[in-house]
Amino acid sequence: MWAAAVLPIVLLLVLMVKLNWPAAKAAPVALAVAVIVSLTLYRTDIVTVGLESLKGVWSALVILIVVWPAIIIYEITNEAQAFDALKLGIRKMSPHELIQMMALGWIFPSFLQGITGFGVAVAVGAPLLCGIGVKPLYSVIIVLLGHSWGATFGTLALAWQALITQSGIGGGLVADTALWAGIFIWFYNFVGGFCLCWFYGRGKGLKEGLPAVLILSTIQGGGQLLLGQVNQTLACFLPTCVALVAVLLMGRTRRYGRAWQLAGSAIMDRSRTAQEESGETLGFNQAFLPYYVLTGVTLFCLLIGPVKAFLEQWQIGFAFPERVTGYGYVTPAVESYSPLAPLTYPGTFLIISCFVGYVYFKARGCIGPGGLGRILRRAVKKTVPSSVAVIGFIVTSKVMGCSGQVSVLAEGIVSVLGVGYAFFAPIVGLLGAFMTSSNMASNILFAEFQMTTAELLGLSVPGILGAQTAGGAIGSAICPGNIVLGTSTTGQTGEEGTVLGKVLPITVACAAICGVALFICAVLLHV
């Protein structure tokens, strides 16, 4: 039964990583296997599978409402040739190529993750890296690793709140859990900057960029660790704001204010040249206007309490009945499943940014006759395969959840490992994020299980829960939905398996290191 439950996940990894199948082709196969296992071995009736599939489609739609406008805003910027202006503007702020990459591939995506989440950081950051000459494939990889550390306390701590709600902890345990999570995530934040330098130039890249990585990681990861003891809601957002200012100021220092680039960097394609300064039609701030609008609208709607409370009054959700499998596994009834507040949703903010950006670029003469048609045609071409992939992944996770396959997977691991489970706690979080394309969903899925397991085994509850959400943050880098977003917006549709193959070993290694640290502290040292 355990082998049957793990089969869809193994199959998905083999098809995408080993055989290099595109996500849109691999996802339906994994879904078909999950459905067959549910109907046969797990005694789940067709009605339950159908209802959970509807939940999956709704959850996927919630993600796609971000995917579609994110791709459109990229195509608008591309049609207006604004990426050339952005590239030139970044060079003016700092002629240092590695600092440019850090700003657009690590710091700015982390800032977006702090306020929006839902893949916006990937959809925006990857094309911006392409705009300064990074090869599309590595643009996706760098942003995936660079932004995902913010998946716990980012989006104004949605995933964190899910962890606390599902586990039911309170009082001092909350601060202790935030401490554990903050330590693990700080380590992973450093890895994101480290990998950026390593990809860029191996040892030479590290020698040049490591001082900047240490400073920026201390601001982001260290700042989140400290602020998490006071206010988890702003624990990611505020440090990323400081880091954004810091990286811009860094470009004015003696070390990073000079013109510098590494000849022969394997991840750079400098064949595309930006417009000459004398002939440019857009300045940096003008080219960046859609993203300024995105940031401004998001902050106004989410950080001003009365405005947010007013806009959140309108929500859309659907009721689902309780269902029970032949083995007695219960999926509880819900009055409003995954309610969507459209007026405070990142997709809405992206749509507003699309509209403002298009109108402005059109008025400036940057988008010629027939431009809207070209934008929409390219967007549709990119969104169809990505939509199929996202729907397939999410529905697969819902079918596996309602049939009890996810529960069997987790319980089987615990029964075999005993206290050694501490090592695997972050890996469970990573697995949940991979299966559901969301750290928040991973916390919802496994928080109660992780806490119960910790209590049964006599392990630190804050340590295990901190590892759960840190693992989910690490796993955000391999979320199929995020990968599809990146490949779609950079024109690399069909290369999802290649991206996953590059990122997967790094994320698994990071989760394993966190697991070793937790095992030493919680089992050997009894911290």
Side-chain angles (χ1 to χ4, degrees):
M1 295 294 284
W2 191 93
V6 81
L7 180 60
I9 301 172
V10 173
L11 182 62
L12 196 61
L13 291 173
V14 170
L15 292 178
M16 292 183 64
V17 179
K18 182 69 176 177
L19 302 182
N20 202 29
W21 280 28
K25 185 178 177 181
V29 175
L31 173 58
V33 172
V35 169
I36 292 172
V37 171
S38 299
L39 295 175
T40 55
L41 295 178
Y42 279 79
R43 298 182 184 176
T44 308
D45 62 86
I46 191 66
V47 174
T48 300
V49 170
L51 289 173
E52 290 301 307
S53 296
L54 289 176
K55 287 183 182 178
V57 171
W58 171 249
S59 297
L61 181 61
V62 169
I63 295 175
L64 293 175
I65 293 173
V66 174
V67 174
W68 296 329
I71 292 175
I72 292 173
I73 197 174
Y74 164 74
E75 291 298 341
I76 290 172
T77 308
N78 185 45
E79 181 70 21
Q81 297 183 337
F83 284 119
D84 284 336
L86 289 173
K87 181 177 180 179
L88 186 60
I90 287 292
R91 282 180 170 173
K92 288 179 179 178
M93 290 180 185
S94 173
H96 198 286
E97 193 169 66
L98 196 51
I99 290 298
Q100 295 172 16
M101 289 177 58
M102 289 184 190
L104 295 182
W106 184 26
I107 306 303
F108 184 63
S110 296
F111 169 77
L112 291 178
Q113 180 65 27
I115 56 174
T116 58
F118 298 97
V120 172
V122 181
V124 172
L128 288 177
L129 276 183
C130 289
I132 62 170
V134 180
K135 293 179 180 178
L137 198 67
Y138 277 96
S139 294
V140 179
I141 293 169
I142 287 170
V143 174
L144 284 171
L145 292 170
H147 92 288
S148 51
W149 70 275
T152 287
F153 295 105
T155 323
L156 302 181
L158 279 181
W160 171 259
Q161 292 301 326
L163 180 79
I164 300 304
T165 300
Q166 291 298 112
S167 64
I169 62 173
L173 288 180
V174 174
D176 291 344
T177 302
L179 181 64
W180 279 96
I183 293 171
F184 292 141
I185 293 172
W186 186 358
F187 157 71
Y188 180 57
N189 172 268
F190 172 78
V191 169
F194 181 94
C195 287
L196 186 152
C197 296
W198 178 259
F199 288 142
Y200 179 74
R202 299 298 192 267
K204 292 181 180 179
L206 286 174
K207 181 180 179 180
E208 181 67 21
L210 193 57
V213 171
L214 291 171
I215 293 171
L216 295 171
S217 181
T218 299
I219 293 172
Q220 292 187 133
Q224 179 176 266
L225 175 65
L226 294 176
L227 197 56
Q229 298 299 298
V230 181
N231 186 323
Q232 288 90 30
T233 301
L234 299 176
C236 176
F237 172 67
L238 289 183
T240 57
C241 289
V242 176
L244 195 57
V245 174
V247 75
L248 295 177
L249 293 177
M250 204 171 281
R252 298 171 182 250
T253 63
R254 179 179 298 180
R255 181 182 180 93
Y256 294 117
R258 73 189 195 282
W260 185 87
Q261 62 178 226
L262 187 63
S265 172
I267 69 170
M268 300 301 296
D269 179 7
R270 303 185 181 99
S271 59
R272 289 186 60 204
T273 57
Q275 295 171 310
E276 294 297 327
E277 187 173 353
S278 59
E280 62 174 322
T281 58
L282 292 172
F284 175 83
N285 290 323
Q286 294 169 324
F288 213 72
L289 178 68
Y291 303 110
Y292 284 142
V293 172
L294 174 63
T295 302
V297 171
T298 302
L299 294 178
F300 177 77
C301 293
L302 297 185
L303 290 187
I304 301 177
V307 173
K308 183 182 179 184
F310 175 76
L311 296 177
E312 284 183 336
Q313 292 181 90
W314 181 37
Q315 296 190 351
I316 304 172
F318 302 96
F320 285 89
E322 178 183 284
R323 300 299 301 179
V324 183
T325 70
Y327 283 116
Y329 187 82
V330 178
T331 300
V334 288
E335 294 184 2
S336 181
Y337 173 75
S338 189
L340 172 67
L343 297 183
T344 57
Y345 195 64
T348 303
F349 306 150
L350 279 166
I351 291 171
I352 294 172
S353 303
C354 286
F355 176 77
V356 174
Y358 177 79
V359 170
Y360 179 77
F361 290 145
K362 183 74 173 177
R364 292 275 307 182
C366 300
I367 297 179
L372 181 60
R374 291 190 294 272
I375 290 168
L376 294 178
R377 283 193 294 272
R378 291 196 300 266
V380 169
K381 185 178 180 180
K382 290 179 178 180
T383 54
V384 170
S386 63
S387 299
V388 171
V390 170
I391 293 172
F393 288 133
I394 301 298
V395 173
T396 298
S397 70
K398 298 304 297 181
V399 170
M400 292 181 65
C402 76
S403 62
Q405 293 179 61
V406 172
S407 178
V408 168
L409 278 175
E411 291 176 5
I413 292 172
V414 171
S415 65
V416 171
L417 296 175
V419 292
Y421 172 77
F423 169 78
F424 288 92
I427 296 177
V428 171
L430 179 146
L431 178 63
F434 172 75
M435 291 171 55
T436 63
S437 279
S438 167
N439 186 20
M440 180 177 68
S442 177
N443 287 342
I444 291 172
L445 197 61
F446 288 127
E448 185 177 359
F449 162 75
Q450 294 264 33
M451 185 185 70
T452 303
T453 302
E455 292 174 339
L456 289 173
L457 296 174
L459 298 174
S460 166
V461 169
I464 295 294
L465 289 179
Q468 156 64 33
T469 194
I474 296 170
S476 294
I478 56 171
C479 284
N482 286 342
I483 293 175
V484 171
L485 261 176
T487 56
S488 298
T489 54
T490 56
Q492 298 295 297
T493 300
E495 294 295 325
E496 294 84 6
T498 304
V499 173
L500 182 60
K502 293 281 189 180
V503 178
L504 184 62
I506 298 172
T507 55
V508 172
C510 287
I513 291 172
C514 291
V516 170
L518 179 62
F519 180 82
I520 293 172
C521 293
V523 177
L524 301 182
L525 302 180
H526 303 288
V527 175

